[in-house]
Amino acid sequence: MKQYKDINVVYAKTIDTSKEQVVVATQDILNREPDTNAFIAINANVLGTLIKEISKRYQIEPYYLYSFDDGPESISLLEAGTLDAMVEQSPEAMGEMSVQLMMEWLNGKKVPLDKNGYLTDIKVQKANNTYE
């Protein structure tokens, strides 16, 4: 996000993903950063609690809400239009690549592994079912 000078990123961290921790973190952001206009749930399992907490104070509509596809509520919230977009990952390809790279590393074929990591395809699905 460094390339976007007009975007100020604020991180909200929790000790765990319990409902209480998510509520406290969301309230803290809403109190400290009243001009916030977007939320990205890195852990999709907190999405429902995050949205419920925001909606206790404000209408959800003006906020941009993003998450990942691995949460139990992500797809239904996207279909309902509550979630603006969802990053769809490739868990099967990620697993296959991980095993392949680990075998190559263990067999001395790929030493050292690339410290910058390895990427798989991702898609961004918008609420209107379009992809980027």
Side-chain angles (χ1 to χ4, degrees), residues 1-59:
M1 299 296 265
K2 290 178 185 177
Q3 65 186 357
Y4 302 102
K5 301 299 181 199
D6 293 340
I7 296 176
N8 179 30
V9 178
V10 177
Y11 296 93
K13 297 179 183 179
T14 60
I15 296 169
D16 56 42
T17 59
S18 68
K19 182 178 179 178
E20 294 79 21
Q21 287 289 312
V22 175
V23 166
V24 168
T26 305
Q27 288 175 350
D28 181 54
I29 291 294
L30 292 171
N31 290 338
R32 283 188 304 117
E33 304 289 338
D35 294 332
T36 297
N37 61 6
F39 289 86
I40 302 171
I42 301 299
N43 183 333
N45 294 321
V46 306
L47 188 58
T49 304
L50 171 74
I51 290 172
K52 285 177 189 170
E53 194 58 33
I54 295 168
S55 69
K56 286 180 182 178
R57 292 193 197 186
Y58 305 106
Q59 296 289 321

